[in-house]
Amino acid sequence: SYKLTQPPSVSVSPGQTARITCSGDALPKQYAYWYQQKPGQAPVLIIYKDTERPSGIPERFSGSTSGTKVTLTISGVQAEDEADYYCQSADSSATYSVFGGGTKLTVL
Amino acid sequence: QITLKESGPTLVKPTQTLTLTCTFSGFSLTTNKVGVAWIRQPPGKALEWLALIYWNDDKRYSPSLKSRLTITQDTSKNQVVLTMTNMDPVDTGTYYCAHRMVTTDGFDFWGQGTMVTVSS
């Protein structure tokens, strides 16, 4: 079945820019969504339809897309951004959804 | 305000059937384009999408679990029920229900999750 691939971990210093990628063959056809999950909490939607930001999500979170890869960019990373990040999208026929394997963001 | 809450057993034995209920408020499953999904997360592991039911009773399942899952809705009670047959210890984890955005496939509201342990 369909898979989305993310790097297991990304590390950045405070104030730097973090980029988390998500690759999948159907991404040129299907939107991607990004979630932030902190320990013991439910995930929170931070990017939808590749690049849109829900209300209440800080502007430092942004999304972009290029072919079979989508990228979550966090500009000016803060300590509170340390969390697991997951991408989500659908298979090429939009029959079902999948999540990526998750990326642990460490703020050094 | 949209809220969702999962309920069900915290412990099930191997081979048993798990039944989880998602009780929601702030929206109706009779409204066009609305959907509710189930997503799970084994301890320390990634999220896994399980199933989704739409306002029109269209149902979608994870291909790898399709034979074991059934999702249903009770619109009069504002509930969505997930059953998973033949439970195994690898099915241990936190099970979430989530509200599908009306205009697209993201999940904008989540329940707090319920932990299910499969053990004899």
Side-chain angles (χ1 to χ4, degrees), chain B residues 32-87:
Chain B
N32 202 30
K33 305 268 181 91
V34 170
V36 173
W38 284 95
I39 296 140
R40 71 177 178 179
Q41 186 172 37
K45 295 189 176 181
L47 300 170
E48 181 180 16
W49 186 95
L50 299 178
L52 172 68
I53 189 165
Y54 288 99
W55 83 102
N56 59 358
D57 211 37
D58 183 13
K59 301 166 186 177
R60 306 298 174 93
Y61 296 100
S62 166
S64 61
L65 292 167
K66 186 174 183 177
S67 63
R68 299 173 53 205
L69 295 174
T70 303
I71 190 169
T72 59
Q73 59 175 298
D74 185 334
T75 53
S76 66
K77 294 182 180 178
N78 279 353
Q79 291 180 334
V80 170
V81 175
L82 181 76
T83 60
M84 180 180 289
T85 61
N86 194 24
M87 293 293 285

Side-chain angles (χ1 to χ4, degrees), chain B residues 11-24:
Chain B
L11 179 65
V12 297
K13 291 181 167 44
T15 76
Q16 286 187 334
T17 294
L18 171 69
T19 300
L20 294 173
T21 301
C22 175
T23 303
F24 56 84

Side-chain angles (χ1 to χ4, degrees), chain A residues 2 14-15 29 58 63 79 88 93 101:
Chain A
Y2 184 51
K29 284 188 63 176
Q88 174 228 333
S93 303

